[in-house]
Amino acid sequence: MMGFSRLLSPFRPQSQAFSMRRRLLGLSLLAVLGGYALLIGATALLASQERRDQHRATAASVRQVLLSRRPVPRTLDEISDALARLISPNFLGWVETDQGVPYGAASQIRLFSIPTGVPLTRLQAQGNGPGQVAVLRFGELTYLTSSEQIHLGSAKVRLRFLEDITQKLAQQRLLLTVLMVAAGLATLFTGLLLRPVLVRGLAPLHDLGLRMQAISSDTLDSQRVSVVAQPRELAPIALAFNDLLDRLSASWERQRGFANGVSHELRTPISLIRNYAGRLRRRSHGLTEEEAGQLALI
């Protein structure tokens, strides 16, 4: 019985063993948090791409308006005057000379939110590729900049665009903060819902453990775990356990047969010795005291 108890000891709950329910709950919450993190990251990337696309669309609209003016502006002064009329509170455009020097943008800067003392020539190396949009940061302010060449008559000029996206980034950070708070609350709510679900889901495993513990050496020959009543995932465990019980029962029967055979083989000579010793003891009048004591011992 002691050996059979040790056999079933792995199926008994132990205080130092990990909890499968807690591990499943932790992994589920990690998966939920990972999904929310992926969602927040994708939202940030899509917002960044949308800002760049809007910048390109605005620059294309300014270029289209500039090309559609009649008469077509040809000198740098005419182009600068036309761009000055298209300025918005957060979008600035100007003309660059062949040497990359801003032309006629000083008057526009006074209407724009670019910090005082920041030279526009600093933008010369930013966003020079076709369709390329670069990010600039001056302190707490963030800008998008791009440039492109256009043909006005026989002249070819480079237009430079600068857009202030500081307010858009502030709105995005607020949105991401709200999303992270919502994700945390949703994860907490999910954890509260998962606890009873996991308890109910793991109930068949608990019942299987109780049925295994109910089997003892007295019922080893007859009692087995029902495989049909088990879920699909636990059926192989029940089959393996029943197979183990069959082999253990056969081994138990062999041990009993060996013990019965040994006891039968020893019973006859022991009985003969006992009977002869009893007869000699009853006739102990001719024996010494030491011989009588030895005979009593036999």
Side-chain angles (χ1 to χ4, degrees):
M1 185 65 183
M2 184 65 68
F4 189 72
S5 300
R6 284 198 300 268
L7 176 66
L8 293 181
S9 59
F11 300 101
R12 296 195 177 100
Q14 300 178 2
S15 58
Q16 67 272 19
F18 69 90
S19 173
M20 183 181 297
R21 183 174 59 191
R22 291 182 180 178
R23 176 168 291 187
L24 290 176
L25 180 61
L27 292 176
S28 300
L29 294 181
L30 284 178
V32 172
L33 286 176
Y36 281 119
L38 183 62
L39 175 63
I40 293 174
T43 301
L45 290 177
L46 290 176
S48 176
Q49 186 62 38
E50 183 181 4
R51 286 192 298 270
R52 293 174 183 269
D53 293 340
Q54 288 179 352
H55 178 88
R56 294 189 186 97
T58 304
S61 176
V62 171
R63 181 191 61 187
Q64 185 65 29
V65 171
L66 191 62
L67 293 175
S68 62
R69 291 179 65 88
R70 294 293 181 269
V72 177
R74 297 182 181 277
T75 65
L76 294 180
D77 291 332
E78 292 176 351
I79 298 174
S80 297
D81 293 339
L83 287 175
R85 295 186 181 93
L86 299 175
I87 191 173
S88 66
N90 64 339
F91 197 89
L92 177 66
W94 66 88
V95 182
E96 286 184 351
T97 64
D98 295 338
Q99 292 77 26
V101 179
Y103 183 87
S107 60
Q108 302 180 40
I109 293 175
R110 290 194 297 269
L111 304 175
F112 198 66
S113 59
I114 190 169
T116 304
V118 176
L120 296 182
T121 53
R122 181 174 175 180
L123 307 176
Q124 182 177 357
Q126 305 291 338
N128 282 330
Q132 180 182 357
V133 180
V135 179
L136 293 176
R137 290 182 175 85
F138 301 115
E140 296 181 355
L141 301 178
T142 306
Y143 302 89
L144 292 180
T145 181
S146 63
S147 66
E148 59 179 292
Q149 287 185 342
I150 63 172
H151 293 272
L152 293 176
S154 60
K156 183 172 65 174
V157 297
R158 177 178 292 276
L159 300 181
R160 173 69 65 178
F161 301 103
L162 186 68
E163 181 182 4
D164 185 2
I165 60 170
T166 305
Q167 187 63 31
K168 293 182 179 180
L169 289 179
Q171 294 175 356
Q172 178 185 332
R173 285 192 291 267
L174 178 61
L175 175 62
L176 293 181
T177 301
V178 173
L179 284 178
M180 286 188 288
V181 173
L185 294 177
T187 302
L188 179 61
F189 183 69
T190 302
L192 295 177
L193 288 180
L194 278 177
R195 289 182 64 87
V197 172
L198 289 177
V199 170
R200 185 172 182 179
L202 294 176
L205 185 60
H206 181 262
D207 295 339
L208 178 61
L210 293 179
R211 292 190 182 95
M212 290 179 175
Q213 293 180 22
I215 300 176
S216 62
S217 59
D218 297 332
T219 60
L220 190 60
D221 297 336
S222 57
Q223 194 170 0
R224 292 292 182 271
V225 176
S226 175
V227 179
V228 180
Q230 302 302 323
R232 183 183 304 173
E233 293 78 8
L234 297 182
I237 299 178
L239 285 173
F241 186 75
N242 287 339
D243 182 67
L244 178 63
L245 291 181
D246 292 338
R247 287 181 280 137
L248 184 61
S249 177
S251 176
W252 205 281
E253 288 298 324
R254 287 194 296 270
Q255 292 182 12
R256 287 177 178 174
F258 174 77
N260 291 335
V262 170
S263 64
H264 177 73
E265 294 294 333
L266 293 177
R267 187 178 295 115
T268 301
I270 290 177
S271 299
L272 291 175
I273 295 173
R274 181 180 180 182
N275 293 335
Y276 280 115
R279 291 175 60 184
L280 291 174
R281 187 179 182 185
R282 287 191 295 271
R283 302 176 182 178
S284 60
H285 55 276
L287 301 176
T288 63
E289 182 178 354
E290 181 180 358
E291 294 174 341
Q294 294 178 352
L295 188 60
L297 180 62
I298 295 175

